[in-house]
Amino acid sequence: MAPSLDDQLRTLTWNAVEVVPDDGLGEKLKAGRPLRVKLGLDPTAEHVTLGWSVVLRKLKAFQDLGHQAVLIVGDFTARIGDPSEQNKTRPMLTKEQVDDHAANVLEQFFLILDREKTEIRRNSEWLETLGVEGFLKLASHQTVAQTLQREDFAERFKANAPISLLELSYPMLQGYDSVAVNADVEIGGTDQHFNLLVGRDMQRAFGQDPQVILTMPLIEGTDGVKKMSQSLGNYIAITEPPDEMFGKVMSIPDELMEKYFKVTTDLSAAEIDAMIAEHPRPEARKRALAAEIVRLYHGDDAALRAAERFDEVFVAGKIPDDVPEVAIPPTSLEGDLVHIPRLLADVGLADSSTAARRVISQGGVYIDGKRLSAEQVKLGELQGRVIAIGKRKFVRLT
């Protein structure tokens, strides 16, 4: 038996911040046909994070109710870079950089979405062929005054900060995506509110019925302060190894737990309430959250093993038995000394020597469980030792 209109609305608007217009989704659903539900993601980084999963899981909710998921890989708009919440002009990415990122994230999308029921489109299909005349026709439907209503643009304009014409064109190009795929609904984070409204304007200009927009909350990263971002390093990727994922979730501030339960898992309101009642202590509740997130992407057994490993390392303070062995790379050597920041980057424990140096200064690097403060160590002192960043990343040096 198909879900009632009220049941569909309840499911689809669960945890949504805003639906525009208020009654728009209900009116679209009354038509009794599968809706074309658009989600656009610019491949500007190589991982799909829990931040992205919030909107992806909402798209999956539409998909599960029989609607058509239309996932737009913004391979053209990513070259511009959405200036949302930026106080300065973003550097442009090359086509090669964007294509590399797109190749990395495409398969990750299907850890959440049903591959067979997802229409994948790249907005270069229609934006690369616009030409100057087509671009100018699009621009005729968007005024400077309208664009400067966007909060970040308005703030930069008042501060006399540079705003390029390229950036001003971004909302218009994203809005045209909705015309190209004839979207009934568009999902996005709250930072996309203005861009989604432009999509409605563009559809009107091209004679289409305007899409309903549905915005979802943004989530803070592991620092508990700033929006989850790969550039800030405060992210949790959905492809993280189970131990790493479990440990990162355990590191989030307690006050974020309820939000994470609501927007990064598939638990219902009743199930979340039951989980909270079952685990009144914050640490136990966070363990339940970490296990649920690991379970979603790696399965029940991996969630159980990740919890056990967490106890061994963090509670009992043990070095894991199955630490991978890595040869000390020659690039890390300076005579008989090992340059630790370079070593950490070379063996994959840190993204760069600069990042590694920062972690050392913060006291986050350990040799056989003892904190390391030096940036150079004699080669003989590292043979067979376990070097770690925090308590989640280990390698045994050979």
Side-chain angles (χ1 to χ4, degrees):
M1 181 178 176
S4 68
L5 176 62
D6 285 345
D7 286 342
Q8 285 199 61
L9 277 173
R10 193 176 302 112
T11 298
L12 297 176
T13 59
W14 160 242
N15 286 326
V17 175
E18 186 179 27
V19 178
V20 178
D22 291 341
D23 60 350
L25 185 55
E27 290 301 313
K28 296 271 189 183
L29 290 170
K30 285 177 183 176
R33 63 174 176 82
L35 301 179
R36 290 182 61 75
V37 187
K38 169 197 171 191
L39 171 63
L41 293 171
D42 283 353
T44 54
E46 62 181 336
H47 299 295
V48 172
T49 68
L50 286 185
W52 279 20
S53 81
V54 175
V55 287
L56 284 164
R57 302 203 86 81
K58 181 57 65 177
L59 184 60
K60 179 63 162 56
F62 275 93
Q63 200 173 51
D64 289 344
L65 288 170
H67 301 290
Q68 179 61 59
V70 184
L71 183 63
I72 296 181
V73 179
D75 62 330
F76 188 94
T77 45
R79 298 177 218 168
I80 302 172
D82 186 1
S84 293
E85 298 186 341
Q86 299 295 310
N87 58 13
K88 60 183 178 181
T89 300
R90 282 193 170 201
M92 289 184 65
L93 297 178
T94 66
K95 185 178 186 301
E96 291 71 24
Q97 286 174 313
V98 171
D99 287 345
D100 284 345
H101 291 323
N104 285 328
V105 300
L106 269 172
E107 285 303 308
Q108 297 175 46
F109 291 145
F110 298 118
L111 294 176
I112 295 174
L113 299 173
D114 185 328
R115 185 190 300 266
E116 301 302 319
K117 298 178 181 178
T118 304
E119 180 181 325
I120 296 281
R121 304 289 295 274
R122 292 173 178 252
N123 62 11
S124 59
E125 292 177 37
W126 48 87
L127 294 180
E128 278 187 345
T129 58
L130 267 180
V132 175
E133 183 178 356
F135 180 85
L136 292 175
K137 283 182 179 179
L138 274 189
S140 71
H141 299 302
Q142 186 74 9
T143 70
V144 173
Q146 285 175 309
T147 306
L148 288 178
Q149 289 175 9
R150 201 170 100 165
E151 187 176 352
D152 51 346
F153 284 153
E155 289 177 356
R156 286 164 64 183
F157 185 74
K158 288 177 184 176
N160 202 29
I163 307 174
S164 72
L165 290 175
L166 190 67
E167 289 180 287
L168 290 175
S169 71
Y170 185 96
M172 176 186 73
L173 295 175
Q174 181 179 323
Y176 186 62
D177 290 349
S178 296
V179 176
V181 300
N182 199 8
D184 293 303
V185 179
E186 182 168 13
I187 303 169
T190 52
D191 59 341
Q192 293 295 304
H193 176 85
F194 179 88
N195 295 353
L196 306 188
L197 289 176
V198 172
R200 285 173 55 83
D201 293 340
M202 284 290 165
Q203 286 180 305
R204 286 192 192 94
F206 282 83
Q208 294 182 5
D209 186 30
Q211 64 189 14
V212 172
I213 69 172
L214 188 151
T215 59
M216 296 298 293
L218 305 177
I219 62 170
E220 295 80 3
T222 52
D223 59 359
V225 179
K226 295 184 178 180
K227 181 179 80 171
M228 185 175 287
S229 165
Q230 291 175 66
S231 61
L232 295 176
N234 65 349
Y235 68 96
I236 303 172
I238 66 173
T239 52
E240 302 260 20
D243 296 349
E244 185 76 3
M245 182 179 282
F246 193 98
K248 282 189 173 183
V249 175
M250 290 297 293
S251 74
I252 68 170
D254 292 350
E255 57 269 22
L256 286 182
M257 279 192 286
E258 185 173 356
K259 186 176 189 178
Y260 269 59
F261 266 122
K262 286 181 177 179
V263 299
T264 67
T265 76
D266 290 333
L267 298 175
S268 67
E271 288 170 327
I272 292 171
D273 288 342
M275 186 81 74
I276 290 173
E278 183 181 351
H279 303 286
R281 292 177 57 247
E283 183 181 353
R285 193 178 306 163
K286 198 180 295 183
R287 287 175 65 89
L289 171 64
E292 180 62 22
I293 291 174
V294 173
R295 186 193 66 76
L296 279 175
Y297 299 104
H298 296 285
D300 292 335
D301 289 344
L304 181 60
R305 287 196 300 271
E308 291 172 347
R309 174 114 162 187
F310 183 86
D311 287 341
E312 289 178 1
V313 175
F314 284 83
V315 180
K318 296 179 180 178
I319 293 175
D321 295 329
D322 56 348
V323 174
E325 292 190 351
V326 176
I328 297 174
T331 51
S332 306
L333 296 175
E334 295 178 357
D336 65 345
L337 294 176
V338 178
H339 188 263
I340 300 298
R342 198 175 304 137
L343 170 70
L344 293 170
D346 288 347
V347 301
L349 292 182
D351 292 334
S352 65
S353 295
T354 301
R357 192 173 288 110
R358 184 169 59 249
V359 177
I360 292 170
S361 69
Q362 294 169 346
V365 177
Y366 300 85
I367 298 288
D368 283 352
K370 295 180 180 179
R371 184 173 282 113
L372 176 71
S373 58
E375 292 194 5
Q376 289 186 321
V377 176
K378 289 183 177 180
L379 177 61
E381 295 178 8
L382 291 179
Q383 300 284 3
R385 301 290 187 88
V386 172
I387 189 167
I389 283 187
K391 295 187 177 180
R392 294 191 301 271
K393 295 182 177 180
F394 300 83
V395 295
R396 189 180 299 280
L397 299 170
T398 64

